[in-house]
Amino acid sequence: MSRLVLKFGGTSVGDVDRIRNVAAKVKAVADAGNEVAVVVSAMAGTTDQLVGLVRDIDPRGDLREYDVVVSAGEQISVGLLAIALQSLGCRARSWLGWQLPVRCDSAHGAARILGIDADAVVTAMANGDIAVVPGFQGVSPDGRVTTLGRGGSDTSAVALAAAVGADRCDIYTDVDGVYTCDPRIVTRARKLDRITYEEMLEMASQGAKVLQTRSVVMALKHRVPIQVLSSFADVPGTLVVDEEDIVEDETISGIAYAPGEAKITLVRVADRPGVAASIFGPLANAGVNVDMIVQNVSEDGKSTDVTFTVGRDDVARALKVIEGVRDEIEYERVQADPDVVKISVIGVGMRSHAGVAHTMFRALAEKGINIQTITTSEIKISVLIAEDYKELALRTLHTAYGLDA
Ligand code: ASP
Ligand code: MG
């Protein structure tokens, strides 16, 4: 017998038939002798619709009221799922975020979970009742409804799993696991049986959309094993676990890509203390999120080139900020290139294997793909290349690292 938190996303509860299908799955898990709590998202499309209603009245409307409106989608899905479970003969009840409560900070629209008072859920589970809890919503310290930011239900589920001391958090979604690469591009991509938290974190933040990054951070912090699996097919998914729970030692676990980035280069920036701070401080203050940063060695000791990437939507804002600090950092000119993509190879095995970077660079070179920028971390190598080569690069690297099915 295990204590499990099951999470179902918006597509999985997209209509009444699908809600019945979810209820049947939950019942099967409970009937197998497990203690079960369920976290659900709003029915697909509902949150978008609610956000649209708020925007139609006032795009800059009070965020506390925005949260009251957009949290409503999850209120509907928890109630419907509880009814569907009851109609199958299960004892089930729903709680809203404020009722447990799911305690959050007061950053409305993007709240962080501080803790969940899960006594009621634990008692229900221990009695063999099925607790149904909404994702995405919580309550602020002053008692107002909050939401966690779009896609926040994964984080709700992992937080609940941590709070009830669950053995595992099963995230049911519309894909059947985590793949070595996006299967829509690389048809020979393989589903992974297991992946480490750290690798998943890199995959999630590098563009693989299976799990919300924050949920993986939460799982890593509380050591909650996650399983990603399909709500439509009855097959085992991918387990996200500690490194010591992984037996086979693959050097590279996956290849991710981050589209929608743009490269900005400052040519011949003054080479003296404080210049980087003068560039990236104002960018941060303007809310521009910077990803890769590369600074060259200065040839003459007087000036150097600085390259960094930002989201494509932020290019205009970034250029305006850079223009504003021109006198301070004395650059010669600035270049922006929006037609780039970042490709990352990810794997904890990199720590103990030599030649991983060389394999990447050689494989790309053989296809005539020019690498514009390189950055690395302990378990990741990322390159920036022209966007036109994205698909070729992903397939080439997938083969080069022996990941093809
Ligand atoms: N319903 C919310 C959204 O669409 C939360 C979630 O689905 O995770 O963003
Ligand atoms: Mg959603």
Side-chain angles (χ1 to χ4, degrees), residues 176-214:
D176 60 0
V178 181
Y179 279 71
T180 48
C181 194
D182 184 342
R184 289 167 305 181
I185 297 177
V186 179
T187 46
R188 298 171 79 185
R190 280 188 291 120
K191 186 165 79 185
L192 295 161
D193 295 332
R194 286 167 183 247
I195 185 170
T196 68
Y197 293 117
E198 286 162 296
E199 289 167 334
M200 191 61 234
L201 204 52
E202 293 287 4
M203 297 278 272
S205 58
Q206 300 303 312
K209 291 259 153 38
V210 245
L211 284 177
Q212 207 204 16
T213 307
R214 271 167 70 193

Short mmCIF file of all heavy atoms in Angstrom, two decimals, residues 176-214:
data_model
loop_
_atom_site.label_atom_id
_atom_site.label_comp_id
_atom_site.label_asym_id
_atom_site.label_seq_id
_atom_site.Cartn_x
_atom_site.Cartn_y
_atom_site.Cartn_z
N ASP A 176 3.07 10.45 -22.54
CA ASP A 176 3.19 9.30 -21.65
C ASP A 176 4.51 9.24 -20.91
O ASP A 176 4.86 8.22 -20.33
CB ASP A 176 2.90 7.99 -22.39
CG ASP A 176 3.86 7.77 -23.55
OD1 ASP A 176 4.75 8.62 -23.77
OD2 ASP A 176 3.73 6.74 -24.24
N GLY A 177 5.25 10.35 -20.90
CA GLY A 177 6.49 10.37 -20.13
C GLY A 177 7.43 11.44 -20.65
O GLY A 177 7.06 12.27 -21.47
N VAL A 178 8.66 11.37 -20.15
CA VAL A 178 9.68 12.31 -20.56
C VAL A 178 10.53 11.62 -21.63
O VAL A 178 10.97 10.49 -21.43
CB VAL A 178 10.57 12.72 -19.36
CG1 VAL A 178 11.63 13.72 -19.80
CG2 VAL A 178 9.72 13.27 -18.23
N TYR A 179 10.73 12.27 -22.74
CA TYR A 179 11.46 11.69 -23.86
C TYR A 179 12.88 12.24 -23.96
O TYR A 179 13.17 13.33 -23.46
CB TYR A 179 10.71 11.95 -25.17
CG TYR A 179 9.57 10.97 -25.38
CD1 TYR A 179 8.42 11.04 -24.60
CD2 TYR A 179 9.68 9.95 -26.32
CE1 TYR A 179 7.39 10.12 -24.78
CE2 TYR A 179 8.65 9.04 -26.50
CZ TYR A 179 7.51 9.12 -25.73
OH TYR A 179 6.51 8.21 -25.90
N THR A 180 13.74 11.48 -24.64
CA THR A 180 15.12 11.92 -24.84
C THR A 180 15.17 13.22 -25.63
O THR A 180 16.13 13.98 -25.51
CB THR A 180 15.93 10.86 -25.59
OG1 THR A 180 15.15 10.45 -26.74
CG2 THR A 180 16.21 9.65 -24.72
N CYS A 181 14.15 13.46 -26.46
CA CYS A 181 14.07 14.71 -27.22
C CYS A 181 12.62 14.86 -27.66
O CYS A 181 11.84 13.91 -27.54
CB CYS A 181 15.01 14.66 -28.43
SG CYS A 181 15.28 16.27 -29.19
N ASP A 182 12.24 16.00 -28.15
CA ASP A 182 10.86 16.23 -28.59
C ASP A 182 10.50 15.25 -29.70
O ASP A 182 11.04 15.34 -30.81
CB ASP A 182 10.76 17.68 -29.09
CG ASP A 182 9.33 18.05 -29.47
OD1 ASP A 182 8.51 17.14 -29.67
OD2 ASP A 182 9.06 19.25 -29.58
N PRO A 183 9.60 14.29 -29.44
CA PRO A 183 9.29 13.26 -30.44
C PRO A 183 8.62 13.81 -31.70
O PRO A 183 8.60 13.13 -32.72
CB PRO A 183 8.35 12.30 -29.71
CG PRO A 183 8.03 12.89 -28.40
CD PRO A 183 8.84 14.13 -28.19
N ARG A 184 8.10 15.03 -31.64
CA ARG A 184 7.51 15.61 -32.85
C ARG A 184 8.60 15.98 -33.85
O ARG A 184 8.37 16.10 -35.04
CB ARG A 184 6.68 16.85 -32.50
CG ARG A 184 5.39 16.52 -31.76
CD ARG A 184 4.79 17.76 -31.17
NE ARG A 184 5.78 18.45 -30.33
CZ ARG A 184 5.54 19.56 -29.66
NH1 ARG A 184 4.38 20.14 -29.74
NH2 ARG A 184 6.49 20.11 -28.91
N ILE A 185 9.81 16.20 -33.35
CA ILE A 185 10.92 16.56 -34.24
C ILE A 185 11.82 15.35 -34.47
O ILE A 185 12.21 15.06 -35.59
CB ILE A 185 11.74 17.72 -33.64
CG1 ILE A 185 10.85 18.96 -33.54
CG2 ILE A 185 12.97 18.00 -34.49
CD1 ILE A 185 11.52 20.15 -32.90
N VAL A 186 12.17 14.67 -33.40
CA VAL A 186 13.05 13.51 -33.51
C VAL A 186 12.18 12.27 -33.36
O VAL A 186 11.81 11.88 -32.25
CB VAL A 186 14.16 13.55 -32.43
CG1 VAL A 186 15.05 12.32 -32.54
CG2 VAL A 186 14.98 14.82 -32.56
N THR A 187 11.84 11.64 -34.50
CA THR A 187 10.90 10.52 -34.43
C THR A 187 11.51 9.32 -33.72
O THR A 187 10.79 8.45 -33.25
CB THR A 187 10.44 10.10 -35.85
OG1 THR A 187 11.60 10.03 -36.67
CG2 THR A 187 9.47 11.10 -36.42
N ARG A 188 12.83 9.26 -33.63
CA ARG A 188 13.46 8.13 -32.95
C ARG A 188 13.73 8.43 -31.47
O ARG A 188 14.50 7.72 -30.82
CB ARG A 188 14.73 7.74 -33.68
CG ARG A 188 14.40 7.28 -35.11
CD ARG A 188 15.62 7.10 -35.94
NE ARG A 188 16.27 5.83 -35.66
CZ ARG A 188 17.43 5.48 -36.18
NH1 ARG A 188 18.06 6.28 -37.00
NH2 ARG A 188 17.96 4.31 -35.88
N ALA A 189 13.10 9.47 -30.95
CA ALA A 189 13.25 9.76 -29.51
C ALA A 189 12.67 8.62 -28.69
O ALA A 189 11.72 7.97 -29.10
CB ALA A 189 12.52 11.06 -29.18
N ARG A 190 13.27 8.38 -27.53
CA ARG A 190 12.83 7.27 -26.66
C ARG A 190 12.25 7.82 -25.37
O ARG A 190 12.71 8.83 -24.85
CB ARG A 190 14.04 6.42 -26.27
CG ARG A 190 14.49 5.43 -27.29
CD ARG A 190 15.56 4.54 -26.69
NE ARG A 190 16.81 5.24 -26.43
CZ ARG A 190 17.36 5.36 -25.23
NH1 ARG A 190 16.76 4.86 -24.16
NH2 ARG A 190 18.50 6.00 -25.08
N LYS A 191 11.30 7.10 -24.83
CA LYS A 191 10.79 7.48 -23.52
C LYS A 191 11.79 7.00 -22.46
O LYS A 191 12.27 5.88 -22.53
CB LYS A 191 9.43 6.82 -23.27
CG LYS A 191 8.81 7.32 -21.99
CD LYS A 191 7.36 6.97 -21.91
CE LYS A 191 7.18 5.51 -21.50
NZ LYS A 191 5.79 5.11 -21.53
N LEU A 192 12.10 7.87 -21.52
CA LEU A 192 13.04 7.50 -20.46
C LEU A 192 12.29 6.79 -19.33
O LEU A 192 11.18 7.19 -18.97
CB LEU A 192 13.71 8.76 -19.90
CG LEU A 192 14.60 9.53 -20.87
CD1 LEU A 192 14.82 10.96 -20.40
CD2 LEU A 192 15.94 8.81 -21.01
N ASP A 193 12.88 5.72 -18.79
CA ASP A 193 12.27 5.06 -17.62
C ASP A 193 12.46 5.94 -16.39
O ASP A 193 11.57 6.07 -15.57
CB ASP A 193 12.93 3.69 -17.35
CG ASP A 193 12.69 2.73 -18.49
OD1 ASP A 193 11.64 2.88 -19.15
OD2 ASP A 193 13.54 1.85 -18.73
N ARG A 194 13.65 6.50 -16.27
CA ARG A 194 13.98 7.31 -15.11
C ARG A 194 14.83 8.50 -15.52
O ARG A 194 15.60 8.42 -16.47
CB ARG A 194 14.82 6.49 -14.10
CG ARG A 194 14.00 5.49 -13.36
CD ARG A 194 14.87 4.50 -12.62
NE ARG A 194 13.97 3.54 -11.99
CZ ARG A 194 13.80 3.42 -10.68
NH1 ARG A 194 14.51 4.15 -9.85
NH2 ARG A 194 12.93 2.56 -10.20
N ILE A 195 14.72 9.57 -14.77
CA ILE A 195 15.57 10.74 -14.98
C ILE A 195 15.79 11.36 -13.60
O ILE A 195 14.94 11.23 -12.73
CB ILE A 195 14.87 11.71 -15.98
CG1 ILE A 195 15.77 12.90 -16.33
CG2 ILE A 195 13.53 12.21 -15.46
CD1 ILE A 195 15.23 13.75 -17.49
N THR A 196 16.95 12.00 -13.40
CA THR A 196 17.19 12.60 -12.08
C THR A 196 16.48 13.95 -11.99
O THR A 196 16.17 14.58 -13.00
CB THR A 196 18.70 12.83 -11.83
OG1 THR A 196 19.15 13.86 -12.72
CG2 THR A 196 19.51 11.57 -12.06
N TYR A 197 16.27 14.38 -10.74
CA TYR A 197 15.67 15.70 -10.52
C TYR A 197 16.44 16.79 -11.27
O TYR A 197 15.87 17.66 -11.91
CB TYR A 197 15.68 16.07 -9.03
CG TYR A 197 14.80 15.23 -8.16
CD1 TYR A 197 15.34 14.44 -7.15
CD2 TYR A 197 13.41 15.25 -8.31
CE1 TYR A 197 14.53 13.68 -6.32
CE2 TYR A 197 12.60 14.49 -7.49
CZ TYR A 197 13.16 13.70 -6.49
OH TYR A 197 12.35 12.96 -5.68
N GLU A 198 17.76 16.72 -11.13
CA GLU A 198 18.58 17.78 -11.73
C GLU A 198 18.45 17.81 -13.25
O GLU A 198 18.36 18.87 -13.85
CB GLU A 198 20.04 17.60 -11.35
CG GLU A 198 20.34 17.96 -9.93
CD GLU A 198 21.65 17.36 -9.50
OE1 GLU A 198 21.72 16.12 -9.47
OE2 GLU A 198 22.58 18.13 -9.21
N GLU A 199 18.45 16.62 -13.85
CA GLU A 199 18.29 16.56 -15.30
C GLU A 199 16.91 17.08 -15.70
O GLU A 199 16.76 17.83 -16.66
CB GLU A 199 18.46 15.12 -15.80
CG GLU A 199 19.89 14.63 -15.73
CD GLU A 199 20.02 13.13 -15.91
OE1 GLU A 199 19.05 12.39 -15.61
OE2 GLU A 199 21.07 12.67 -16.35
N MET A 200 15.90 16.68 -14.94
CA MET A 200 14.53 17.12 -15.24
C MET A 200 14.42 18.64 -15.13
O MET A 200 13.75 19.29 -15.92
CB MET A 200 13.55 16.43 -14.29
CG MET A 200 12.10 16.60 -14.68
SD MET A 200 11.73 15.89 -16.31
CE MET A 200 10.98 17.27 -17.14
N LEU A 201 15.11 19.17 -14.13
CA LEU A 201 15.11 20.61 -13.93
C LEU A 201 15.69 21.32 -15.15
O LEU A 201 15.14 22.30 -15.66
CB LEU A 201 15.97 20.92 -12.70
CG LEU A 201 15.74 22.19 -11.94
CD1 LEU A 201 14.27 22.34 -11.60
CD2 LEU A 201 16.57 22.14 -10.66
N GLU A 202 16.81 20.77 -15.64
CA GLU A 202 17.42 21.35 -16.84
C GLU A 202 16.49 21.19 -18.04
O GLU A 202 16.29 22.11 -18.80
CB GLU A 202 18.77 20.70 -17.14
CG GLU A 202 19.86 20.99 -16.12
CD GLU A 202 20.39 22.42 -16.20
OE1 GLU A 202 19.88 23.22 -17.00
OE2 GLU A 202 21.33 22.75 -15.45
N MET A 203 15.92 19.99 -18.19
CA MET A 203 15.03 19.74 -19.33
C MET A 203 13.84 20.70 -19.27
O MET A 203 13.45 21.29 -20.27
CB MET A 203 14.50 18.30 -19.32
CG MET A 203 15.55 17.24 -19.46
SD MET A 203 16.04 16.96 -21.18
CE MET A 203 14.83 15.75 -21.67
N ALA A 204 13.26 20.84 -18.08
CA ALA A 204 12.06 21.67 -17.95
C ALA A 204 12.39 23.13 -18.23
O ALA A 204 11.65 23.82 -18.94
CB ALA A 204 11.46 21.53 -16.55
N SER A 205 13.53 23.60 -17.72
CA SER A 205 13.83 25.01 -17.93
C SER A 205 14.42 25.26 -19.31
O SER A 205 14.49 26.39 -19.76
CB SER A 205 14.75 25.55 -16.83
OG SER A 205 15.93 24.80 -16.81
N GLN A 206 14.83 24.20 -20.01
CA GLN A 206 15.37 24.36 -21.36
C GLN A 206 14.29 24.14 -22.41
O GLN A 206 14.57 23.87 -23.56
CB GLN A 206 16.52 23.39 -21.63
CG GLN A 206 17.70 23.55 -20.70
CD GLN A 206 18.25 24.95 -20.72
OE1 GLN A 206 18.47 25.50 -21.79
NE2 GLN A 206 18.47 25.53 -19.57
N GLY A 207 13.05 24.13 -22.02
CA GLY A 207 12.00 24.11 -23.04
C GLY A 207 11.18 22.85 -23.14
O GLY A 207 10.18 22.84 -23.83
N ALA A 208 11.57 21.75 -22.46
CA ALA A 208 10.72 20.55 -22.51
C ALA A 208 9.51 20.83 -21.60
O ALA A 208 9.66 21.04 -20.42
CB ALA A 208 11.50 19.33 -22.03
N LYS A 209 8.33 20.83 -22.19
CA LYS A 209 7.18 21.39 -21.49
C LYS A 209 6.42 20.40 -20.58
O LYS A 209 5.33 20.71 -20.13
CB LYS A 209 6.17 21.94 -22.53
CG LYS A 209 6.64 23.18 -23.25
CD LYS A 209 6.02 24.44 -22.67
CE LYS A 209 6.87 25.68 -22.85
NZ LYS A 209 7.59 25.80 -24.11
N VAL A 210 6.99 19.22 -20.32
CA VAL A 210 6.23 18.22 -19.57
C VAL A 210 5.86 18.62 -18.15
O VAL A 210 4.77 18.35 -17.70
CB VAL A 210 6.97 16.86 -19.48
CG1 VAL A 210 6.22 15.81 -20.21
CG2 VAL A 210 8.38 16.97 -19.96
N LEU A 211 6.81 19.21 -17.42
CA LEU A 211 6.56 19.58 -16.03
C LEU A 211 6.93 21.04 -15.84
O LEU A 211 7.87 21.54 -16.44
CB LEU A 211 7.45 18.77 -15.08
CG LEU A 211 7.09 17.32 -14.80
CD1 LEU A 211 8.15 16.71 -13.89
CD2 LEU A 211 5.72 17.23 -14.13
N GLN A 212 6.18 21.71 -14.97
CA GLN A 212 6.54 23.08 -14.66
C GLN A 212 7.85 23.09 -13.85
O GLN A 212 8.01 22.28 -12.93
CB GLN A 212 5.41 23.69 -13.83
CG GLN A 212 5.32 25.17 -13.98
CD GLN A 212 4.66 25.84 -12.79
OE1 GLN A 212 4.52 25.25 -11.74
NE2 GLN A 212 4.26 27.07 -12.98
N THR A 213 8.77 23.97 -14.22
CA THR A 213 10.07 23.99 -13.56
C THR A 213 9.95 24.08 -12.04
O THR A 213 10.63 23.37 -11.30
CB THR A 213 10.90 25.19 -14.09
OG1 THR A 213 10.92 25.13 -15.50
CG2 THR A 213 12.31 25.15 -13.57
N ARG A 214 9.06 24.96 -11.58
CA ARG A 214 8.93 25.15 -10.13
C ARG A 214 8.53 23.87 -9.41
O ARG A 214 8.90 23.65 -8.26
CB ARG A 214 7.85 26.20 -9.84
CG ARG A 214 8.40 27.61 -9.79
CD ARG A 214 7.26 28.61 -9.82
NE ARG A 214 6.48 28.62 -8.61
CZ ARG A 214 5.29 29.23 -8.49
NH1 ARG A 214 4.76 29.85 -9.53
NH2 ARG A 214 4.66 29.23 -7.35
#
